[in-house]
């Protein structure tokens, strides 16, 4: 009745196949002979076509500098990475030595014992150079489990040419204004003014805009069915059905469809993070990079704009042996060094996590400059290991609310009931 | 489960065996068929390992509150001890009383999904089989054509449907051209269900058709000739010769169809993904989501939903078997 193997075989009982899910990579933790070359596996979750080449080039550079270490670079789609890593780690095999982990996953992984603390290792040698807030986010119960690699936040990305065509000169600063702008754009420019990705993470600005969050850690309360949260989701529901706002796309291809529409000028504005700027600049509407406007997300009725601070940390798997761990720490240190971060930022337009990497070459990139300006509206995650897991039930119910299958009130109550399973000691409103 | 025939009609030898003790019967059967036992043994052992052990474990998990956070594991230097506890029937009560509106919507949709899919695939399969059972020109060609959807790997079929059903796909161009307007096959909760049933029909019909065709060819042509001599109309021949003649095949097909459709993971999962389409998820995909598709993984609830699925199917199969036996008894 114990161990990961039990969990794995249980899959058969519930008539689903586990075999498809957890078999990749080989960290070869058995070959403990510390002399000779060590091969470590790195799961990178960056965009495989636009961002990966930069990382592959860095890996090659690292291998040249460390002839005793070989890196098995594996590109894993971001959407699958959390499940894939959890499955592999729980089964005790197939997990990579190094993972590029979303900042929100780190606490959960650390709680489950999947990660090694990096305090005092070569990976954390330059800990003081990083943004202190990001180091705090990578810390769980006093130990540092990840080194920040890139950071990000959400912003309103807009097509300046379309806005100008509709006679609008400034980006909207409130949701009401965005609604009015969308109608005007539809009328004068003939394209949709705004498109929303129906995902809980992208709905966070609507909660922050009312001065609330998913949970209130200080008072141990779930905030989903608080008056403020209900108001925020009502604003969202109202917005997506307004004239000039694109029809909600909840299909499995939704994310890609929205990006295509924005890149080709069929939609004037979206809410998105810096990881998409490289893609956006490849779009037919943005051959002139200065056409991309980046503004803070609009504010809600509380008059405050807020967007989640995201990003990625590099973490090391606890199941690897000492030789692999030492090699992993070197790789992490290399990839998060000021020089590597500058390379990544200039090539991929993502935001570095340390001040000394914001060189003039980096800030010359319009994508980075734009996002650096809106970072101040970023809201850090509360210190709670289950926080990121709340996006799951919230997202499922959000889709039902936005497609009219449930009222806002009923949907948010359902999220509350499901969240109480994750946070039993938190009170509902 | 009573398997033996009623005693009064059984041959005397069977009755004699019945009186012998079970141990003795096993020994006698062993003496007589030891090679059969020897050949079965590996299969029995493997089945016990692959099906029995996880099944028992799964059932055990349903009485706990196990999740990926509290089930013990050791990773390198980190040892996380077991901290989950026995909660008795709490997980079942939680799911069945449904305070979070999770189980029952999936349950009712699974029933509607199974009934409509099986009805449509079986009737379409039967219709096509009757059509192809006649001497038409190019019969082999039509058969080949109709079997194709079955021969193509399921994921290819489903991904092509996903392309065709997309908002700017072929189907929407068609409905637009004939004035039916634009239909959100993959995102509107109602049309999602229609699309799911349609795609599953596409995937399921060829097998139904082939099996029915096999069944039809086993019906002796003399019966039709005799019926025709008696002046039976085409419908009467279908109703009184074809259908009863097909019954041994069709009753099995319906049962298989129900079990397969109930557990049809591929179509739903590949067509809609698991994230933004909660209302179209059937029980097995819902269980998968609880186990693999969320963090923390909820072993207890996933196992409970799995055990509920299994129980529904076992109870149903037993009733169905009895009903079929009664029908056949009545006919004989």
């Amino acid at each position: 009745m114990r161990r990961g193997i039990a969990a794995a075989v249980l899959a058969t009982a519930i008539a689903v196949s586990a075999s498809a899910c957890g078999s990749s990579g080989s960290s070869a933790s058995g070959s403990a002979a510390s002399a000779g070359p060590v091969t470590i596996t790195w799961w990178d979750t960056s965009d495989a076509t636009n961002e990966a080449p930069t990382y592959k080039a860095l890996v090659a550079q690292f291998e040249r500098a460390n002839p005793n270490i070989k890196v098995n670079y594996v590109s894993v789609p971001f959407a699958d990475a959390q499940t894939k890593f959890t499955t592999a780690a729980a089964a005790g095999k197939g997990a990579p030595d190094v993972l590029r982990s979303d900042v929100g996953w780190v606490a959960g992984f650390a709680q489950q014992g999947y990660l090694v603390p990096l305090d005092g290792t070569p990976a954390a040698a330059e800990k003081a150079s990083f943004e202190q807030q990001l180091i705090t986010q990578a810390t769980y119960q006093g130990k540092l489990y990840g080194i920040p690699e890139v950071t990000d936040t959400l912003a309103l990305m807009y097509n300046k040419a379309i806005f100008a065509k509709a006679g609008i000169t400034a980006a909207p600063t409130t949701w009401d204004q965005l609604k009015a702008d969308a109608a005007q754009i539809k009328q004068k420019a003939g394209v949709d003014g705004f498109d929303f990705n129906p995902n809980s993470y992208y709905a966070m600005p609507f909660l922050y805009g009312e001065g609330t969050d998913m949970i209130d850690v200080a008072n141990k309360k779930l905030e989903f069915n608080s008056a403020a949260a209900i108001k925020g989701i009502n604003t969202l529901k109202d917005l997506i059905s307004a004239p000039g706002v694109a029809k909600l796309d909840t299909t499995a291809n939704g994310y890609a469809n929205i990006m295509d529409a924005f890149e080709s000028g069929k939609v004037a504005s979206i809410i998105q993070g810096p990881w998409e700027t490289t893609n956006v600049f490849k779009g037919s509407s943005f051959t002139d990079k200065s056409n991309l406007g980046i503004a803070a997300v609009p504010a809600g009725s509380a008059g405050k704009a807020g967007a989640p601070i995201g990003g990625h940390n590099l973490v090391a798997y606890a199941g690897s042996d000492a030789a692999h761990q030492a090699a992993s720490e070197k790789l992490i240190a290399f990839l998060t060094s000021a020089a590597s971060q500058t390379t990544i930022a200039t090539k991929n337009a993502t935001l570095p996590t340390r001040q000394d990497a914001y060189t003039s070459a980096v800030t010359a990139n319009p994508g980075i400059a734009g996002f650096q300006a809106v970072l101040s509206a970023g809201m850090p995650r509360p210190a709670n290991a289950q926080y990121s897991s709340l996006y799951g039930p919230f997202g499922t119910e959000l889709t039902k609310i936005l497609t009219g299958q449930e009222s806002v009130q009923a949907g948010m109550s359902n999220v509350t009931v499901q969240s109480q399973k994750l946070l039993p000691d938190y009170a509902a409103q | 489960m009573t398997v033996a025939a009623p005693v009064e009609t059984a041959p005397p030898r069977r009755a004699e065996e019945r009186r012998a003790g079970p141990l003795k019967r096993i020994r006698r059967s062993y003496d007589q068929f030891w090679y059969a036992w020897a050949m079965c043994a590996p299969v029995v052992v493997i089945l016990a390992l692959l099906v029995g052990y996880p099944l028992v474990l799964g059932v055990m998990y349903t009485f706990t509150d196990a999740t990926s956070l509290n089930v013990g594991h050791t990773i390198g230097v980190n040892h996380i001890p077991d901290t989950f506890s026995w909660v008795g029937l709490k997980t079942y009560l939680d799911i069945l009383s449904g305070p979070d509106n999770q189980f029952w919507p999936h349950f009712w949709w699974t029933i509607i999904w199974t009934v409509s899919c099986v009805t449509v695939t079986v009737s379409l399969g039967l219709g096509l089989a009757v059509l192809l059972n006649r001497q038409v020109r190019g019969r082999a060609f039509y058969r080949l054509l109709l079997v194709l959807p079955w021969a193509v790997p399921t994921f290819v079929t489903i991904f092509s449907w996903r392309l065709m059903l997309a908002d700017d796909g072929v189907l929407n161009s068609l409905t637009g051209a004939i004035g039916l307007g634009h239909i959100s096959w993959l995102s509107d909760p109602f049309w999602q269900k229609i699309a799911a049933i349609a795609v599953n029909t596409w995937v399921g019909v060829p097998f139904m058709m082939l099996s029915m065709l096999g069944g039809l060819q086993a019906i002796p042509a003399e019966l039709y000739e005799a019926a025709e001599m008696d002046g039976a109309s085409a419908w009467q021949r279908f109703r009184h010769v074809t259908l009863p003649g097909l019954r041994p095949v069709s009753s099995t097909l319906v049962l298989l169809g129900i079990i397969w459709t109930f557990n049809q993971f591929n179509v739903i999962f590949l067509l809609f993904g698991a994230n933004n389409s909660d209302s179209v998820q059937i029980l097995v995909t819902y269980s998968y989501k609880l186990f693999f598709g969320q963090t923390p993984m909820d072993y207890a609830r996933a196992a409970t939903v799995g055990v509920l699925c299994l129980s529904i199917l076992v109870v149903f199969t037993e009733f169905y078997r009895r009903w079929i036996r009664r029908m056949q008894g009545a006919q004989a």
Side-chain angles (χ1 to χ4, degrees), chain A residues 133-156:
Chain A
Q133 205 180 10
L134 301 176
I135 291 289
T136 312
Q137 247 184 23
T139 306
Y140 175 71
Q141 292 189 343
K143 288 181 185 161
L144 181 66
Y145 281 97
I147 307 296
E149 183 204 32
V150 293
T151 185
D152 60 55
T153 188
L154 293 178
L156 184 77

Side-chain angles (χ1 to χ4, degrees), chain B:
Chain B
M1 277 204 294
T2 50
V3 186
V7 180
E8 62 269 21
T9 59
R13 223 179 94 64
R14 282 299 288 266
E16 210 174 284
E17 258 177 42
R18 236 165 191 276
R19 257 178 269 119
L23 269 177
K24 203 166 181 186
R25 265 188 294 151
I26 289 174
R27 174 122 39 90
R28 192 178 302 165
S29 138
Y30 177 78
D31 287 343
Q32 218 170 352
F33 304 112
W34 64 268
Y35 52 91
W37 284 100
M39 284 179 195
C40 282
V43 178
V44 171
V45 169
I46 288 172
L47 275 184
L49 277 176
L50 287 183
V51 178
Y53 173 65
L55 189 64
V56 170
L57 260 176
V59 172
M60 250 164 61
Y61 270 122
T62 65
F63 300 115
T64 68
D65 59 358
T67 67
S68 58
L69 294 177
N70 57 19
V71 171
H73 47 257
T74 303
I75 288 156
V77 288
N78 297 324
H79 177 69
I80 309 282
D82 273 334
T83 49
F84 65 92
S85 48
W86 293 92
V87 293
L89 290 172
K90 185 173 172 298
T91 316
Y92 286 96
L93 287 176
D94 254 15
I95 288 180
L96 294 177
S97 63
D100 53 353
N101 289 319
Q102 290 278 297
F103 180 77
W104 291 107
H106 292 297
F107 173 81
W108 289 117
W109 160 235
T110 309
I111 300 294
I112 296 171
W113 150 262
T114 310
V115 170
S116 20
C117 281
V118 172
T119 315
V120 174
T121 44
V122 168
S123 355
L124 262 182
L126 179 61
L128 288 172
V130 169
L131 213 64
L132 284 186
N133 196 32
R134 299 178 309 168
Q135 293 297 332
V136 286
R137 194 184 298 234
R139 188 161 73 153
F141 174 72
Y142 290 128
R143 278 190 201 174
L144 188 75
L145 210 64
L146 284 165
V147 172
L148 260 181
W150 194 45
V152 175
T154 325
F155 82 94
V156 176
T157 315
I158 295 171
F159 281 136
S160 6
W161 273 103
R162 199 160 113 177
L163 285 178
M164 289 192 275
L165 292 167
D167 280 355
D168 48 0
V170 182
L171 244 85
N172 269 324
S173 322
L174 274 177
T175 52
I178 57 170
L180 282 176
H182 183 97
I183 296 171
S184 309
W185 298 100
L186 297 178
S187 52
D188 182 85
F190 174 74
W191 291 109
Q192 276 182 330
K193 290 176 179 159
I194 302 291
I197 293 172
V199 172
N200 191 50
T201 305
W202 174 265
V203 174
V205 159
F207 174 76
M208 292 293 173
M209 184 199 75
L210 273 189
S211 316
M212 294 280 190
L213 200 55
L216 284 179
Q217 284 167 351
I219 301 175
E222 295 81 36
L223 287 181
Y224 287 102
E225 282 164 23
E228 217 164 335
M229 295 281 276
D230 291 343
S233 68
W235 170 250
Q236 281 170 329
R237 270 174 289 160
F238 177 73
R239 172 82 182 72
H240 297 288
V241 180
T242 311
L243 283 187
L246 264 185
R247 190 159 292 147
V249 176
S250 61
S251 61
T252 312
L253 276 183
V254 169
L255 180 63
L256 276 180
I258 286 175
I259 294 176
W260 286 345
T261 314
F262 194 91
N263 289 333
Q264 178 56 281
F265 183 84
N266 300 353
V267 169
I268 303 279
F269 188 78
L270 296 178
L271 201 54
F272 302 104
N275 290 328
N276 288 329
S277 54
D278 194 54
S279 55
V280 76
Q281 303 293 329
I282 55 174
L283 286 177
V284 284
T285 55
Y286 171 56
S287 171
Y288 173 87
K289 193 189 166 198
L290 288 175
F291 199 112
F292 292 106
Q294 63 173 36
T295 340
M297 299 168 170
D298 199 334
Y299 301 154
R301 288 175 79 81
T304 311
V305 173
V307 167
L308 286 171
C309 281
L310 185 67
S311 324
I312 293 168
L313 284 179
V314 166
V315 169
F316 167 78
T317 309
E318 183 57 26
F319 273 102
Y320 184 83
R321 228 171 45 85
R322 287 188 188 182
W323 180 68
I324 290 294
R325 187 138 30 90
R326 224 179 17 247
M327 293 264 295
Q328 280 168 342
Q331 215 192 0

